[in-house]
């Protein structure tokens, strides 16, 4: 694993944690279980929304595996 791979991994983890926490907080404010918001945050980061709106950002954050 190179240094750029490590930076990319840490950036992806930060984005995932921020999205999960933010959506969990929003759902809690709406008097819904925060875990549902965390799941929605994960869905928003997937190809369904982030891949549709910003495929370049999704590819930069979550590159395909290199095997």
């Amino acid at each position: 694993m190179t240094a750029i791979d490590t930076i990319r991994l840490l950036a992806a983890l930060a984005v995932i944690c921020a999205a999960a926490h933010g959506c969990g907080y929003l759902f809690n404010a709406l008097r819904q279980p925060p875990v549902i918001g965390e799941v929605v945050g994960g869905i928003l980061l997937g190809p369904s929304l982030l891949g549709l709106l910003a495929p370049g950002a999704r590819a930069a954050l979550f590159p395909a595996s290199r095997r």
Side-chain angles (χ1 to χ4, degrees), residues 30-58:
L30 296 172
R31 308 194 99 172
Q32 297 297 315
V35 70
I36 302 301
E38 293 167 357
V39 170
V40 170
I43 291 170
L44 294 177
L45 290 177
S48 59
L49 186 65
L50 185 61
L52 181 66
L53 297 178
R58 182 181 175 277

